[in-house]
Amino acid sequence: MRLPDVLVQADAAAGEPPLPEYDLIELLFFAYRDFVGDADRLLADYGFGRAHHRVMHFVSRRPGLTIAELLDLLRITKQSLNRVLKELIDTGFVEQRAGLSDRRQRLLFVSPRGRALALELSELQSARINRALARCEPGTRAAAAGFLAAMIDPMGPDGSRPPRRGLER
């Protein structure tokens, strides 16, 4: 799908300030809708939503993640995480274990059931990504990864750097 960028070019050529990047904004909205929609349909079978998906994804990718690390990574409050995490633990998708050096620390792991669901969700989303990349020029994956990485704020709202562990492929 190629959207016309004639409007943006015409305004810039006329000395007008450039219009907002409406075409890219809309493409991001539609791509996100469909990207998460695949997973949403599967998650609905379990009574889960997008917050459950995010927690499952990162706990699966980073076994032993602490609650504090997960909060920093997702940039959410403890209150926002509590309900979702409790549901995932109560339904047997996530396990909570005491830290080895500090027994008060809670480390998060997916259970075998959680690992299977996280993998199924990742496979769904990977299939969409791979279908899209197959329709693009060679080298698009690297360009897309660079663009998406550049879209991420390097600092959290409190000025801290978010954890980067596990973002590499």
Side-chain angles (χ1 to χ4, degrees):
M1 166 179 5
R2 175 91 174 121
L3 298 179
D5 48 6
V6 175
L7 290 176
V8 174
Q9 291 172 355
D11 285 344
E16 298 288 327
L19 291 174
E21 297 287 347
Y22 291 124
D23 57 340
L24 293 178
I25 291 167
E26 290 170 8
L27 286 171
L28 280 168
F29 280 141
F30 297 137
Y32 178 75
R33 174 199 64 199
D34 295 346
F35 177 73
V36 297
D38 296 335
D40 286 348
R41 287 183 283 284
L42 177 58
L43 289 162
D45 293 342
Y46 297 89
F48 293 158
R50 291 178 186 168
H52 298 85
H53 184 191
R54 285 188 294 273
V55 170
M56 291 273 301
H57 175 83
F58 287 107
V59 171
S60 172
R61 294 277 294 141
R62 302 167 186 204
L65 190 68
T66 67
I67 301 273
E69 289 170 332
L70 184 59
L71 291 170
D72 287 343
L73 181 67
L74 298 176
R75 296 184 188 172
I76 60 173
T77 64
K78 200 174 206 178
Q79 183 178 0
S80 300
L81 178 62
N82 280 342
R83 178 190 59 83
V84 169
L85 188 56
K86 181 178 179 350
E87 288 174 357
L88 289 170
I89 291 169
D90 290 349
T91 54
F93 287 90
V94 170
E95 299 171 355
Q96 191 170 241
R97 302 178 196 158
L100 298 175
S101 60
D102 182 350
R103 306 290 295 160
R104 296 169 299 171
Q105 192 175 45
R106 294 185 297 163
L107 307 178
L108 301 173
F109 298 85
V110 289
S111 66
R113 183 178 185 202
R115 185 176 303 107
L117 179 57
L119 181 60
E120 189 174 359
L121 291 164
S122 293
E123 286 173 342
L124 269 175
Q125 291 183 316
S126 292
R128 177 172 292 279
I129 290 168
N130 290 328
R131 282 191 309 270
L133 288 172
R135 295 172 47 197
C136 297
E137 299 291 324
T140 298
R141 186 190 192 290
F147 171 78
L148 291 171
M151 291 281 296
I152 299 168
D153 285 336
M155 303 298 246
D158 62 353
S160 65
R161 289 204 177 279
R164 303 297 283 182
R165 186 173 67 115
L167 289 180
E168 62 281 339
R169 184 173 154 113

